Amino acid sequence: MLYWRRLTRIIAAMVMLGAGAQALAEDRVLAGAIRWDNWRADSGMCDALDDSALQDRIPYYARRDAMGRLICEGDAPQTVAQDIAYARAAGIDYFIFGYYLETGSWRRDAKAAYALNSAYRAYLALPDRQGVKYALQFNWSFPPADIDEVSDEIVAAARHPDAVRGPTGALPVFMFTPDIERWAKGLGGVDGAAASLADIRRRVREATGAELYVVSMLFGIHKSAPIALDIGFDAISTYANGTGAGGRAVPYGTCAAGARGFWAAGRKLEAGFLPTVTMGWDYRPELRLKKTTVQRDPNPSWCEPAEDAQWSQKIRDAVAEAAANARNERFRSIVFYAWNEFNEGGWISPTKGEGDRRIRVLARALQPK
């Protein structure tokens, strides 16, 4: 009996890893969580949280070094393994790893990109990911010269048994396109971007047999979505639903209503749509850093903290939205902003001040009725 069990596992692994294998997923709404992994001992990102008033944001794995400085090693193997355990308990099906191309194109810092990908490498190196799968999100735009690298990274994912798949075997790939016109410009405009995306699809198909399901993570859906569809994206989503400028507190209910407005626009598209559940939005701590990773409005508005019931309702509504959209047959999923955007105000991961509160909220809300 033991021999047959081992043989069954070996055969299953061969099917998953073989070229052109299509690992079928359950035909249900999956839950993906965005990761932004600059939480490293040498990144300085935790400096923004070193305030007693921000205990709710300080990640559970933070510690103080010999000089008393707050240190966050979110890319340590033991931390990534614990993240996986928490994610599984919450009902998260897959992480969306923000991936940074390490080519150095456009004078970007290849070493910085390598460092930003360290948690992703730690995830892949774990002997057991406990069923928490993954997808890639290319967080930087790229020139045509990087298409080889982009395709190679996707091919590697297509061959990995823990890459998340849709019910027909489609492999979701996310592109962070906050300014879709600028993103396309780097590839020669809309026509050039369309040709590049088609080329990436062809390369991955020829190498692995996998069909891609490419998701544009955009802002300004009314203006940007038509451009994304002209380029050839399969689906639309967004990284987060912000509040704009103004320097005022916005009730979480109002923030949630704004997200539902984005969903309503997505519902009308001739494409798939992944509703985003924004757990919070308040990047004021980020403004404390001398050097931030993106340009920030110095006078932002922010979402007030949510009650558990508000999160639960929004999560259930997002699942229902994704399930009801007939254009989502290739990949049904909601997207959480985020697993670990502590400085920006959106997180699921346990923290020093909240403990595992959000894990418990998700577990209840995502449990099938």
Side-chain angles (χ1 to χ4, degrees):
M1 180 63 71
L2 181 59
Y3 167 80
W4 287 111
R5 288 177 180 171
R6 288 176 177 170
L7 181 61
T8 300
R9 286 198 294 268
I10 291 171
I11 292 172
M14 290 174 64
V15 170
M16 292 288 285
L17 291 170
Q22 294 201 337
L24 301 183
E26 292 181 65
D27 188 9
R28 62 182 178 87
V29 176
L30 303 180
I34 293 168
R35 292 185 63 111
W36 185 75
D37 284 307
N38 201 20
W39 303 103
R40 308 185 324 277
D42 61 348
S43 72
M45 293 304 297
C46 242
D47 291 345
L49 301 177
D50 198 357
D51 186 324
S52 59
L54 298 176
Q55 283 289 309
D56 285 355
R57 297 182 185 229
I58 299 174
Y60 68 91
Y61 49 80
R63 61 177 178 81
R64 294 197 179 274
D65 65 12
M67 302 298 294
R69 186 181 184 186
L70 193 66
I71 301 295
C72 296
E73 293 180 284
D75 60 337
Q78 64 270 22
T79 302
V80 177
Q82 186 60 63
D83 277 355
I84 286 172
Y86 280 129
R88 184 180 181 186
I92 296 296
D93 295 291
Y94 66 102
F95 284 136
I96 303 171
F97 281 95
Y99 184 80
Y100 295 82
L101 289 166
E102 299 166 9
T103 59
S105 294
W106 291 331
R107 298 182 180 181
R108 287 170 173 159
D109 188 337
K111 290 183 179 179
Y114 182 83
L116 284 163
N117 295 332
S118 58
Y120 173 54
R121 291 193 301 276
Y123 167 90
L124 293 178
L126 290 173
D128 183 9
R129 286 164 287 276
Q130 301 184 46
V132 177
K133 298 183 180 294
Y134 78 97
L136 289 175
Q137 175 173 276
F138 290 85
N139 273 10
W140 280 341
S141 55
F142 48 87
D146 281 357
I147 287 177
D148 285 349
E149 181 72 15
V150 172
S151 301
D152 287 348
E153 290 299 331
I154 299 174
V155 165
R159 289 174 173 163
H160 199 286
D162 280 335
V164 70
R165 300 273 190 146
T168 63
L171 181 78
V173 174
F174 296 80
M175 299 284 181
F176 183 54
T177 58
D179 184 337
I180 190 70
E181 291 178 297
R182 185 177 180 183
W183 185 90
K185 185 178 180 180
L187 292 165
V190 170
D191 290 343
S196 297
L197 190 55
D199 189 20
I200 293 168
R201 292 183 191 274
R202 177 189 59 79
R203 291 172 184 237
V204 175
R205 185 187 308 114
E206 291 178 356
T208 69
E211 295 293 337
L212 299 187
Y213 188 80
V214 191
V215 183
S216 173
M217 304 291 275
L218 52 75
F219 299 138
I221 190 168
H222 297 289
K223 177 182 177 182
S224 299
I227 299 171
L229 299 186
D230 284 345
I231 291 170
F233 283 95
D234 299 292
I236 303 300
S237 188
T238 191
Y239 193 83
N241 302 107
T243 55
R248 64 187 181 89
V250 180
Y252 186 82
T254 302
C255 294
R260 289 186 175 92
F262 194 98
W263 302 353
R267 193 184 308 146
K268 299 175 183 177
L269 298 173
E270 293 295 327
F273 181 73
L274 284 63
T276 298
V277 175
T278 299
M279 295 295 290
W281 181 259
D282 181 1
Y283 66 74
R284 287 176 296 168
E286 182 90 0
L287 299 176
R288 302 178 179 196
L289 300 177
K290 293 181 180 179
K291 181 180 179 181
T292 62
T293 55
V294 294
Q295 292 285 79
R296 296 291 192 189
D297 188 305
N299 189 39
S301 290
W302 63 92
C303 293
E304 293 179 338
E307 300 291 337
D308 289 8
Q310 291 175 305
W311 276 327
S312 296
Q313 188 62 56
K314 189 174 181 183
I315 293 166
R316 293 190 180 106
D317 289 348
V319 170
E321 181 75 32
N325 192 328
R327 299 183 183 91
N328 288 345
E329 69 277 358
R330 293 180 62 203
F331 189 63
R332 292 183 175 89
S333 180
I334 63 172
V335 171
F336 280 98
Y337 168 87
W339 179 257
N340 54 354
E341 284 277 20
F342 305 108
N343 282 2
E344 281 194 350
W347 70 90
I348 297 167
S349 168
T351 63
K352 297 286 189 181
E354 284 191 334
D356 65 352
R357 172 196 173 197
R358 302 187 185 206
I359 300 295
R360 289 181 280 111
V361 169
L362 264 68
R364 290 191 297 268
L366 291 171
Q367 185 175 5
K369 291 185 177 180

